[in-house]
Amino acid sequence: MNQKTTDFGLFIIGGGPGDPELITMKAFNVLKRAEVILYDNLSNEKLLEIAPKTCKMIYVGKQPYGKYTPQEKINELIVENAQNYQVVVRLKGGDPFIFGRGFEELIYAEARGIKCHYIPGISSMQGAGFIDVPLTHRGISESVWILTGTKKDGSLTNDLKCAMKSSATVVIYMGMKKVGEISKAYCDAGLGDMPAAIIQHATLPNQKQVVCSVQHLQESAEQAGLTYPAIIIIGNVVQAKAYANLNQAELLSA
């Protein structure tokens, strides 16, 4: 059977929050016939086992605040391999279009005549459910505000002040180096008692987390040995299960 032209090209794939089973069937099927995989530090290496034994594996990881492969080099490798192989996978952790550079890579490759395909992954923030924290919950939070903790210039985004004024759940990526500043911003606004959580290595056996008030984020993270990469979640949804259990107990005792 002839394969469609859409079966070839560069495939930008989200590997999900960590657990290798949390990828889509579409991603799984592409990985099974990959000829080249360029993979990130945050993508689970067990996903590489899905590919054929003849598949060329290229590590282009970026250790947070440490050693990394420059983006310019990654772009060059993507183009070089996509011009020489039919099924090239750019495997990234989480979802490549949520604080990843997947879209930048797609634009770069397409500008050089490469056919690109995007296969979304489960976002890292959805790992919140693994510590019983829903990102939204009826009667508690009607929206989610997703922020990057560190902008390109290294500063804390001003959008945090806007998010704090809303009732939305605030999810902060790449915020662990700014956790003290984040905590202070909430305290300065009189919101130090807001429930907060940090989850590291979500969905994996070595998952770690803390739940506290936002004023205690930094000390709680240090005591628990939490570092990056991790997701910070701030809002009343952090206590949603406690509220639900309390309401259930009141109903049973009525």
Side-chain angles (χ1 to χ4, degrees):
M1 184 176 68
N2 292 330
Q3 289 182 302
K4 301 176 183 178
T5 56
T6 53
D7 290 338
F8 304 101
L10 171 68
F11 294 82
I12 298 175
I13 293 178
D19 185 335
E21 293 185 348
L22 292 175
I23 62 165
T24 64
M25 286 298 298
K26 192 175 189 72
F28 179 85
N29 289 329
V30 171
L31 286 170
K32 282 201 301 184
R33 57 190 187 84
E35 295 174 271
V36 180
I37 299 177
L38 297 98
Y39 65 101
D40 269 0
N41 181 56
L42 294 178
S43 54
N44 194 314
E45 290 194 18
K46 288 187 177 180
L47 294 174
L48 304 180
E49 298 173 7
I50 299 170
K53 294 187 183 301
T54 54
C55 182
K56 178 182 175 183
M57 307 293 183
I58 304 174
Y59 174 70
V60 290
K62 296 180 180 181
Q63 295 282 351
Y65 312 107
K67 293 182 179 180
Y68 68 97
T69 305
Q71 188 62 50
E72 294 77 14
K73 179 62 176 178
I74 295 173
N75 290 344
E76 291 173 6
L77 287 168
I78 287 172
V79 171
E80 176 187 331
N81 284 279
Q83 289 174 340
N84 290 285
Y85 296 90
Q86 291 189 318
V87 182
V88 175
V89 169
R90 177 66 174 102
L91 181 62
K92 301 175 75 69
D95 186 287
F97 285 9
I98 300 180
F99 296 122
R101 301 185 71 170
F103 193 63
E104 295 177 34
E105 294 168 356
L106 180 145
I107 291 172
Y108 186 91
E110 284 190 339
R112 286 149 183 81
I114 295 166
K115 181 69 175 177
C116 298
H117 314 279
Y118 166 56
I119 302 178
I122 295 174
S123 64
S124 299
M125 66 180 175
Q126 300 223 52
F130 286 78
I131 57 170
D132 294 327
V133 175
L135 295 179
T136 64
H137 189 68
R138 186 170 55 178
I140 297 178
S141 175
E142 299 172 354
S143 59
V144 181
W145 200 311
I146 309 168
L147 305 171
T148 176
T150 307
K151 297 196 302 181
K152 188 175 181 179
D153 64 4
S155 64
L156 181 65
T157 175
N158 289 326
D159 284 351
L160 180 61
K161 293 179 181 178
C162 299
M164 287 163 49
K165 295 176 183 178
S166 74
S167 61
T169 302
V170 176
V171 179
I172 304 174
Y173 285 66
M174 297 171 287
M176 291 303 289
K177 287 200 80 171
K178 299 290 185 180
V179 68
E181 290 183 48
I182 292 166
S183 180
K184 183 178 184 302
Y186 272 84
C187 290
D188 289 348
L191 299 170
D193 290 331
M194 183 69 70
I198 302 174
I199 179 169
Q200 182 182 3
H201 301 310
T203 77
L204 293 171
N206 59 334
Q207 173 182 303
K208 295 193 291 186
Q209 66 274 332
V210 293
V211 175
C212 59
S213 60
V214 72
Q215 62 189 322
H216 298 306
L217 266 180
Q218 185 169 20
E219 60 192 81
S220 296
E222 291 173 354
Q223 289 172 3
L226 294 180
T227 182
Y228 38 76
I231 298 292
I232 301 169
I233 305 153
I234 303 171
N236 287 321
V237 288
V238 173
Q239 295 294 334
K241 190 168 187 180
Y243 297 150
N245 289 340
L246 179 61
N247 291 337
Q248 186 67 23
E250 289 175 350
L251 287 172
L252 291 173
S253 63

